[in-house]
Amino acid sequence: MDRTETRLEEAAVSGLGAPLSLDRFGGLRTLIWARLTVASLALPFGILMRADPTIGAWRLLGAALGAVAILSGIYWLGTLWGRGRGIQISVQLAIDIALVTLLSSLTGGLQSPFALFYVLVAITGGLQLGLVGGLITAVGASVAYHLLNPSGHGWSPTMTTLPRPGMFSALLLVLAVLSATLQRRALQARRSLERAARELDRVRFDNDVILRHLTSGVITLDSTGSVAYLNPAAEEVLRVRFADLRGRWVQDALPARLHPLRDSLLAVLESHSTQSRGELLLQNEDGAPLPLGLSTNLLIHEGQVTGVVAVFQDLTAVREMEQRALRNQTLAEVGSLAAGIAHELRNGLSPISGSVEVLQRELRLDGEQRQLMALISTECSRLNRFVTDLLAYSKERQLVRMPIDLGETLDELCDTVALDPRAVGVAVRHEPGEEMVELYADREQLRQVWLNLAGNALDALDGGGALVIRWSCPDAERVVIDFEDSGPGIASQDLAHVGQPFFTTKKSGTGLGLPIAQRIVERHGGTLTLHAANQRGTIARITLPATAGAAARAA
């Protein structure tokens, strides 16, 4: 949260009139400037009203201007002190009355035109000190005015006919009341305006917080098609930065890979035709498809279109889930059909295999006949293995979960794999993680996964190389098990087909080992993926939820 948000939040929460309090001495500084300006203009003007100004008149006016300037400087320092605002105003008004009285007494007494400055003092008192302060100021000015010499003496620019002292005093009081009333209403209006401003800030702040925490992306354009807003979710989905797009025309701001989105936004802005629950297909930076669910709407203020807003979601996970569901449905149907075929095949295969074994024991065949009999036996074994895998794939056994030690099961696997004839010349190594991990899983079915992956690795190594089995816990929610071999790896043209039932690159493979392992892992809530190793070979990576381990510990 930046400094502006913090200030707005504090102001919104406290409800205090912070701007008003910060401007408490602003009016006092305005008074100082106004006094200095009036004195600078009015006092020299008094000389011009005299037909033949004397040196004494210039000296008097110069002294008066100098006094006002010095006092203004002192007053300004007082505002910097920042305390005793009421006392400072009272002192300044008292000094003003004294200066006006002194100046008036030297320039004609009651008939001095400078006596009109009492009016300004009374008005100032009402504006700065309110009704009571204004009345006190007016009374003080009236008293001072009554103390002036009625006949006047000294230098006078010109004699002025002022109202009688009683009427002048009444005038001062009325002006003080009016100015205080005006000041009170202005203050009320100002406070109302500040409350409205604070409420507006609060609404803006709340809206901004809501938009920032939305999981859906939000982008808005103004009426010219320039990018006006992009929330963090939109930045993450589109892989762009709002700071780079702000104020730019959307056609130039968004990259070409996002052109369906910018075209859709501009179309809404031009045609005023909104869209609800539509879909767009964009591209990520790496060229991967990026499906979006999109809804657009117009921004209208006082009947005028001021922009367009779009709310969108990344549908990648949804599409992957739909593909998995479709694949599982297809596999289930295929599995059901395959189960029936496998059952019939096994019914016919069993007597054939048994008959071949009997003939091999009782007949003494030589040459080509012996080879043909061996071929029949081999093919019967291969078909039997295929049928066994097919039945295992088509039948979805219920999971029998129990706490199992991951390191212990992988140690047992390494011992078993080392006895496999295909492991001759292969270095099988287990690299356990730093801490013990228990899985709450089906031991036998996970063992089937380990054996299938290890068997694929041994077939890929073809009698030479290394198979490393390691596991780790990248965070508190996942356990990752890798089967890394140093074989030739998976050809790029085969990547799209790996994992599909009956797809195999091995001469005697059934193409069901990996799909069986994948199905078992998914039933445990995990994933099975294949990756290229750093140097050469393949990594079969199993990710299982660590909650299974937590459940095991709880049990």
Side-chain angles (χ1 to χ4, degrees), residues 396-401 441-442 445 520 522-525:
E396 194 170 81
R397 289 189 300 162
Q398 185 176 3
L399 296 178
V400 182
R401 293 180 183 267
D442 188 310
Q445 295 199 41
I520 294 174
E522 290 179 353
R523 292 183 66 199
H524 281 82

Side-chain angles (χ1 to χ4, degrees), residues 180-510:
T181 304
L182 180 62
Q183 184 268 348
R184 186 178 70 253
R185 291 184 178 179
L187 185 60
Q188 290 175 347
R190 185 177 179 182
R191 286 175 173 169
S192 298
L193 184 61
E194 288 185 355
R195 283 196 295 271
R198 287 199 300 272
E199 186 63 26
L200 180 60
D201 287 342
R202 182 197 295 272
V203 171
R204 287 177 177 172
F205 176 75
D206 290 344
N207 289 339
D208 188 63
V209 170
I210 292 172
L211 290 174
R212 283 181 174 277
H213 290 82
L214 276 180
T215 56
S216 299
V218 178
I219 182 173
T220 62
L221 306 183
D222 61 18
S223 58
T224 64
S226 298
V227 178
Y229 181 76
L230 201 72
N231 72 338
E235 291 181 316
E236 182 176 355
V237 172
L238 303 179
R239 306 295 175 86
V240 294
R241 295 176 65 246
F242 177 46
D244 299 333
L245 309 183
R246 187 200 301 265
R248 296 175 58 193
W249 190 39
V250 66
Q251 196 72 12
D252 298 331
L254 294 181
R257 61 185 177 83
L258 304 178
H259 74 86
L261 176 61
R262 66 190 188 193
D263 293 345
S264 178
L265 293 173
L266 290 177
V268 173
L269 199 58
E270 294 173 357
S271 65
H272 295 181
S273 177
T274 61
Q275 186 179 14
S276 178
R277 298 182 182 277
E279 289 191 19
L280 295 176
L281 183 59
L282 314 181
Q283 286 186 340
N284 281 319
E285 293 174 313
D286 56 1
L290 175 61
L292 287 188
L294 178 73
S295 295
T296 58
N297 210 341
L298 292 172
L299 299 175
I300 300 176
H301 180 65
E302 296 181 351
Q304 299 293 325
V305 176
T306 59
V308 59
V309 58
V311 181
F312 53 87
Q313 301 83 30
D314 185 357
L315 300 181
T316 302
V318 177
R319 293 292 173 267
E320 291 177 352
M321 184 174 63
E322 290 177 349
Q323 290 178 358
R324 285 198 299 270
L326 180 61
R327 187 191 64 184
N328 290 336
Q329 181 181 359
T330 303
L331 294 180
E333 294 173 353
V334 172
S336 177
L337 177 62
I341 297 174
H343 181 73
E344 293 302 323
L345 284 175
R346 171 161 285 182
N347 287 340
L349 191 60
S350 295
I352 294 175
S353 299
S355 299
V356 170
E357 290 179 1
V358 172
L359 291 175
Q360 282 181 322
R361 286 197 305 268
E362 295 182 354
L363 297 178
R364 295 184 180 276
L365 300 177
D366 296 324
E368 184 178 358
Q369 293 178 345
R370 182 182 181 87
Q371 293 178 356
L372 291 175
M373 186 62 71
L375 178 62
I376 293 173
S377 178
T378 302
E379 289 302 314
C380 285
S381 299
R382 189 182 66 82
L383 285 174
N384 188 55
R385 187 168 64 252
F386 173 75
V387 170
T388 301
D389 288 346
L390 195 58
L391 289 174
Y393 181 74
S394 60
K395 291 181 180 179
E396 194 170 81
R397 289 189 300 162
Q398 185 176 3
L399 296 178
V400 182
R401 293 180 183 267
M402 63 181 68
I404 59 176
D405 187 325
L406 178 60
E408 180 182 337
T409 59
L410 293 179
D411 281 336
E412 294 174 357
L413 171 70
C414 290
D415 295 339
T416 303
V417 171
L419 300 176
D420 193 306
R422 295 173 294 178
V424 176
V426 176
V428 180
R429 189 167 69 252
H430 177 206
E431 296 180 358
E434 296 180 353
E435 58 185 38
M436 186 186 75
V437 172
E438 282 187 343
L439 296 177
Y440 192 65
D442 188 310
R443 176 188 292 271
E444 293 303 322
Q445 295 199 41
L446 274 191
R447 180 175 172 78
Q448 183 65 50
V449 174
W450 311 149
L451 289 173
N452 288 1
L453 296 180
N456 287 341
L458 293 179
D459 290 337
L461 292 172
D462 195 19
L467 169 61
V468 180
I469 303 171
R470 65 172 69 90
W471 52 271
S472 61
C473 298
D475 52 50
E477 299 179 352
R478 295 180 300 161
V479 178
V480 176
I481 306 105
D482 285 347
F483 285 70
E484 180 177 354
D485 65 66
S486 59
I490 302 174
S492 57
Q493 65 271 18
D494 296 333
L495 281 175
H497 306 288
V498 171
Q500 293 179 356
F502 309 114
F503 176 80
T504 180
T505 58
K506 296 182 290 187
K507 294 180 180 179
S508 59
T510 62

